[in-house]
Amino acid sequence: MSTTYVVVTALAAFMAGFSGGAIFVRATFVVEPLAEYGVPQAWWNWLGVAKAAGAVGLVAGLFVPVVGVLAAIGLVLYFAGAVVTVVRARSYAHIPFPLIYLAPAAASLVLLG
């Protein structure tokens, strides 16, 4: 396990955890776009849980690699879905935001392999 993998995975876990926590506390910079994109408010907590679980899974993956692989795959799929949601909402200027979160999760997956 390389130092680069550990650093990138820690960054990905921090970013996913931060994003999940921002949903739980209803941070304006997260929930206003969700409402704008048409994401039902009933889904918001579940989206936060998914991000938090991905963050925990990435950290656990430092000790049990298969868990890290599954968590990274889950986060890549989650943020790819976020890109699709942004595109469907025609908020093209917002596309970089989910990509910023997707990148370290994808890099973590690549570096583990």
Side-chain angles (χ1 to χ4, degrees), residues 42-58:
W43 294 10
W44 294 359
N45 283 337
W46 292 110
L47 296 174
V49 167
K51 290 189 235 187
V56 170
L58 286 175

Side-chain angles (χ1 to χ4, degrees), residues 5-6 24 33 52 73 101 104:
Y5 168 72
V6 173
F24 293 133
I73 290 170
Y101 288 90

